[in-house]
Amino acid sequence: MPTLRLALCQVDPTVGDIAGNADLVRAWTRKAADAGAQLALFPELMLTGYPVEDLVFRRSFVAASRAALHRLAADLAADGLGDLPVLVGYLDADGPPQVSADAEPGRGARNAAALLHGGAVVATYFKHHLPNYGVFDEDRYFVSGDALTVVRIGGVDVALTICEDLWQAGGPFAVARHAGVGLVLNINGSPYELNKDDIRLPLVRRRAAEAGAAIAYVNMVGGQDELVYDGDSMIVDAAGTLLARAPQFVEHLLVHDVDLPPAREPVDGEQAAGGMRIVRAKVSDILPPAPVGEAAVGGIIAPVADEAEVWQALVVGLRDYVNKNRFPSVVLGLSGGIDSAVVAALAVDALGPDRVVGVSLPSQHSSEHSRADAEELAKRTGLDFRIEPIQPMVDTFLANMSLSGVAVENLQARVRGVILMALSNQEGHLVLTTGNKSELAVGYSTLYGDSVGGYNPVKDVWKTLIWRLAKWRNADAERRGETPPIPESSIGKPPSAELSPGQLDSDSLPEYDVLDPILIGYVDGDLGREGLVASGHDPAIVDRVLRMVDTAEYKRRQSAPGTKISIKAFGRDRRLPITNRWREDG
């Protein structure tokens, strides 16, 4: 029985940086070769980054991707790596974009994979299943492939597939069984959401049973705008046994020796299996030598607890957004409350304290404990702490314009926003906003005030989860013998915007342990009023909450991007009209 040493290169590409991504492939292929690999694979659309969105429509971008692929094949050979077969995702096209006037049926942009060997492209595959739900719009961009590519490598027949092909039964994996392959490679740009890692392994096992073959699943890591990728690459044998699994949220080379069945001769009539053609290719017989000595064992990294997983996702999403967009540092308002404390701790974990500026912006309504909590967090984390009192500016404004009530409350928030943006303009920081998903859902924020900012790390985090994350982060610090970053008083005190005397969030909203389950059902679960009431929620509170959610769409549409961690994030996932008279209560 042949043995192939597989190297799954779980790396972090950048959208649009074709040259930089190609350099990543070269560097990690060298690592794979040094580990004795006989086959290396990289994530979906590795050369272009993923998702490329409307860059697909730029013919110059498609041409650059195709040219880079052939240049990469030659460069790998020049690096002395030509004997190692390398599977890499790239953007291809066999016709004009589907949105153009000269579009051709069945032709257009392709989400593609190419096998590079001996300085050339020896095989290609076009993604068959194109997802068009949630964050995915691939039907808008790509044309579906109609052939399964099977490549003979080291005496083993290996099928090539891409991401969504794994999520659908009866597609390429069923055809792979008909083709008699021993191994299916699946390259991915699979975005993170909480508990998705619990779904992947059973899914990969089902496809292994369907294909009757081992599966090597490689996923990218890193952040891309609102999306974050968690890696979680793995190898499963034909019986569904997990052989190796990579850690989440870090670049990683997973190297493992896999025993595979020898290739067989094709059977008659296989060229039209399951609605897909089978296209066979073979790499040169020149491969890296078979591994000798002890077998390579990739190891199995167990998934972490929910709070640890979410924290890592938020840290990676923020770090990559800041670094890939070349911001030198970030600035945020430190109120002493739980939301800004969590965002500050995330920012310090992501970037280091030297790149984080926290600004206390007290008014006459700011409590002494809130001011002290903000200063205490700064001491614990080591970030650059500043104090900019806003009351003189508010008083100057009120001396020239008569305002009262909510208008004065919003004025305070907007003065704070002006100060943060001024610091951003003056010093080059990216402003982080700190509103959680519960507040965004019900519109409990001030446009151009506390909502001001270029990125919101906790945009997709419910308020109740904010508290859980704060407690987890502090406990994690204690376990490691470090100072907990978040003051206990910030966690324990009732939340308040402190824009008027004695103000609490509960003056305007239900308690968060009542509010969040309703919001989760309505926003994430698409439950209507009847479904929420049937779930046990108070009808009057349901009606009140749904009215707030429905009338706040215009605010959410203007909110900063933020890391997606749930099944349905505002912006990329949940898309509703602003002008909309439908109400669940009729």
Side-chain angles (χ1 to χ4, degrees):
M1 180 174 286
T3 297
L4 281 182
R5 180 165 292 180
L6 306 182
L8 280 60
C9 303
Q10 180 175 291
V11 296
D12 182 1
T14 300
V15 167
D17 186 9
I18 294 177
N21 294 337
D23 287 343
L24 264 181
V25 173
R26 293 172 70 181
W28 283 77
T29 300
R30 170 61 65 192
K31 294 180 182 181
D34 290 345
Q38 295 173 292
L39 174 60
L41 50 157
F42 288 84
E44 178 178 11
L45 289 178
M46 175 68 208
L47 278 186
T48 59
Y50 182 80
V52 289
E53 299 183 313
D54 282 11
L55 286 172
V56 168
F57 300 141
R58 298 192 188 177
R59 302 187 193 199
S60 58
F61 186 71
V62 177
S65 170
R66 298 180 68 182
L69 179 73
H70 292 277
R71 187 163 56 248
L72 175 61
D75 287 343
L76 288 171
D79 293 341
L81 302 170
D83 293 348
L84 176 58
V86 176
L87 182 66
V88 61
Y90 75 107
L91 174 63
D92 203 342
D94 57 3
Q98 288 296 293
V99 296
S100 62
D102 55 347
E104 304 172 28
R107 294 183 178 274
R110 305 284 193 168
N111 184 334
L115 190 69
L116 312 181
H117 188 250
V121 177
V122 297
T124 59
Y125 170 78
F126 296 154
K127 188 174 183 178
H128 180 68
H129 289 298
L130 302 177
N132 207 45
Y133 55 84
V135 302
F136 304 106
D137 292 304
E138 293 208 1
D139 237 8
R140 168 182 170 88
Y141 298 117
F142 301 114
V143 175
S144 177
D146 62 359
L148 178 71
T149 300
V150 176
V151 186
R152 187 159 294 178
I153 303 173
V156 178
D157 279 342
V158 180
L160 313 182
T161 64
I162 300 175
C163 202
E164 187 71 12
D165 294 334
L166 181 86
W167 290 80
Q168 306 295 330
F173 284 79
V175 180
R177 172 181 282 276
H178 186 80
V181 306
L183 173 67
V184 181
L185 307 181
N186 185 251
I187 64 173
N188 291 263
S190 179
Y192 168 79
E193 60 193 40
L194 181 58
N195 297 324
K196 194 171 187 179
D197 58 321
D198 297 333
I199 297 171
R200 284 197 188 106
L201 179 55
L203 176 69
V204 173
R205 283 174 165 155
R206 289 198 298 273
R207 292 294 90 80
E210 185 176 25
I215 295 176
Y217 170 102
V218 65
N219 190 26
M220 65 177 62
V221 291
Q224 170 57 33
D225 295 344
E226 301 100 320
L227 302 180
V228 63
Y229 303 93
D230 60 324
D232 195 30
S233 304
M234 67 185 77
I235 302 171
V236 169
D237 70 14
T241 302
L242 179 63
L243 302 179
R245 191 170 193 173
Q248 292 177 278
F249 301 109
V250 293
E251 290 190 312
H252 184 78
L253 184 70
L254 185 67
V255 180
H256 193 86
D257 287 351
V258 183
D259 295 329
L260 298 163
R264 63 167 175 79
E265 290 308 307
V267 298
D268 293 337
E270 72 168 12
Q271 296 303 315
M276 294 183 70
R277 294 179 294 115
I278 297 173
V279 177
R280 292 188 179 267
K282 180 183 177 183
V283 303
S284 164
D285 290 330
I286 302 175
L287 289 177
V292 295
E294 293 186 5
V297 178
I300 297 175
I301 304 297
V304 298
D306 287 355
E307 291 83 3
E309 186 178 288
V310 169
W311 191 272
Q312 290 179 66
L314 297 176
V315 165
V316 171
L318 174 59
R319 179 189 297 140
D320 268 13
Y321 189 85
V322 172
N323 290 341
K324 289 181 178 181
N325 287 292
R326 298 175 178 170
F327 289 101
S329 50
V330 297
V331 63
L332 71 150
L334 282 182
S335 68
I338 186 66
D339 296 326
S340 65
V342 166
V343 171
L346 284 166
V348 170
D349 282 0
L351 306 169
D354 294 342
R355 298 177 67 190
V356 181
V357 178
V359 186
S360 174
L361 300 157
S363 75
Q364 64 179 348
H365 302 302
S366 299
S367 61
E368 195 59 43
H369 65 76
S370 290
R371 301 183 196 205
D373 289 342
E375 187 170 0
E376 175 64 19
L377 180 139
K379 289 179 181 177
R380 293 185 182 204
T381 59
L383 57 75
D384 180 356
F385 181 63
R386 307 178 192 180
I387 301 174
E388 297 285 351
I390 68 167
Q391 199 59 47
M393 303 177 211
V394 172
D395 291 342
T396 299
F397 199 105
L398 293 176
N400 290 276
M401 190 174 185
S402 179
L403 299 175
S404 62
V406 173
V408 176
E409 294 182 19
N410 288 345
L411 173 62
Q412 296 169 66
R414 290 186 176 122
V415 167
R416 288 176 172 134
V418 167
I419 292 172
L420 293 174
M421 288 307 303
L423 289 172
S424 171
N425 295 153
Q426 184 70 24
E427 301 176 7
H429 314 296
L430 170 69
V431 178
L432 301 181
T433 184
T434 61
N436 59 71
K437 190 174 184 178
S438 306
E439 294 172 347
L440 284 168
V442 297
Y444 192 62
S445 63
T446 301
L447 274 180
Y448 324 120
D450 56 319
S451 67
V452 73
Y455 198 78
N456 182 354
V458 295
K459 179 179 182 177
D460 199 30
V461 184
W462 299 111
K463 182 75 169 190
T464 47
L465 181 53
I466 290 280
W467 274 306
R468 286 167 50 199
L469 290 174
K471 293 174 182 177
W472 173 84
R473 182 62 183 85
N474 278 2
D476 184 62
E478 289 177 346
R479 279 193 297 271
R480 290 184 280 130
E482 299 173 355
T483 301
I486 301 171
E488 286 299 324
S489 51
S490 290
I491 299 173
K493 65 187 173 185
S496 169
E498 292 192 333
L499 296 173
S500 62
Q503 184 183 42
L504 297 173
D505 287 11
S506 56
D507 298 336
S508 303
L509 304 174
E511 296 289 349
Y512 285 107
D513 59 354
V514 174
L515 175 64
D516 278 3
I518 296 173
L519 293 175
I520 291 169
Y522 190 49
V523 174
D524 288 356
D526 282 320
L527 286 178
R529 180 186 186 277
E530 291 183 4
L532 292 166
V533 172
S535 299
H537 300 295
D538 183 285
I541 297 178
V542 168
D543 288 341
R544 178 184 168 201
V545 170
L546 266 53
R547 280 194 296 272
M548 288 190 285
V549 174
D550 290 345
T551 56
E553 186 62 35
Y554 76 102
K555 286 188 177 182
R556 289 190 292 273
R557 192 70 66 88
Q558 300 178 68
S559 63
T563 305
K564 167 186 162 64
I565 58 126
S566 75
I567 193 171
K568 188 166 287 190
F570 290 127
R572 290 200 69 104
D573 287 303
R574 189 177 189 268
R575 311 175 200 179
L576 290 174
I578 296 175
T579 305
N580 172 21
R581 292 189 179 181
W582 170 255
R583 296 293 179 264
E584 283 292 328
D585 59 6

